[in-house]
Amino acid sequence: MTDSSSPAALDRSIAAFMRYFFVHINPILHRTEYRGRKFSDYEVIVAMALHVVGQMRPSDLSRGLSIEKGSLTSVLKRLRNLGLIDRRDIPGDERSYRVALTSDGQAFVDHLELQRRRAFATLFAAMPADELAAAADGVDRITNYLKKWEDDHGVGAKTSNRAP
């Protein structure tokens, strides 16, 4: 008999879920076409990170998203050239800067959120209401646990880099 209340049981469940995540969920979250252009996973992830956390230094984005600095530099340059982010100098620090979403960048994030809501509504339309509620509760429980774990361990995006 397998203990369904152990970390190993959660590991097995998430491992089994990953195939379906990559095939069905990941494309909803990380692939899009916007204003006639297809966006890479990293472009979407960086825009969403800036939306969630606020303006950030590229080094903090690189570390927080586990994106190599060279790759991130290319992503930031493309997003800046598209007018979705801008560079903001940090007073008193001539070598460092932050990147932030522009109003066009916020419109891009709004597009991503609408795309996600519509695609999830379509994908899960046939799932019974009680199972949808249980699935949402399970994800909420994992989210709450991980937030507490980050708070307890002093990691993650605990504080915002938003400008005052």
Side-chain angles (χ1 to χ4, degrees), residues 48 93 108 163:
M48 290 304 298
D93 187 349
F108 176 63

Side-chain angles (χ1 to χ4, degrees), residues 10-156:
L10 181 59
D11 174 62
R12 283 189 301 278
S13 293
I14 289 178
F17 170 71
M18 291 312 294
R19 177 217 185 269
Y20 302 99
F21 174 84
F22 288 124
V23 172
H24 300 284
I25 306 292
N26 190 57
I28 292 171
L29 299 177
H30 300 128
R31 306 236 192 331
T32 196
E33 187 172 323
Y34 180 69
R35 296 182 179 166
R37 181 186 184 279
K38 290 185 178 183
F39 283 76
S40 73
D41 291 13
Y42 280 168
E43 290 167 337
V44 171
I45 290 167
V46 167
M48 290 304 298
L50 292 172
H51 170 70
V52 169
V53 179
Q55 60 180 287
M56 295 183 72
R57 295 173 193 245
S59 58
D60 294 332
L61 268 172
S62 174
R63 219 177 0 267
L65 298 174
S66 298
I67 299 174
E68 294 294 324
K69 287 181 182 179
S71 297
L72 181 63
T73 299
S74 298
V75 169
L76 294 176
K77 183 176 181 179
R78 287 192 305 271
L79 292 174
R80 198 167 49 245
N81 289 340
L82 291 165
L84 301 181
I85 64 169
D86 64 5
R87 176 187 167 125
R88 298 187 179 167
D89 293 332
I90 299 173
D93 187 349
E94 293 183 21
R95 297 187 313 152
S96 191
Y97 64 96
R98 290 186 175 128
V99 292
L101 288 175
T102 62
S103 58
D104 279 348
Q106 184 58 52
F108 176 63
V109 168
D110 293 345
H111 159 81
L112 293 169
E113 290 178 346
L114 180 60
Q115 172 183 283
R116 184 194 69 238
R117 284 193 302 273
R118 286 178 175 164
F120 275 26
T122 300
L123 181 61
F124 293 105
M127 191 173 192
D130 61 329
E131 290 184 29
L132 278 169
D137 182 60
V139 172
D140 287 346
R141 288 172 186 251
I142 291 170
T143 300
N144 292 336
Y145 173 81
L146 292 174
K147 181 189 180 313
K148 183 179 181 331
W149 189 93
E150 285 184 355
D151 290 347
D152 291 349
H153 291 85
V155 298

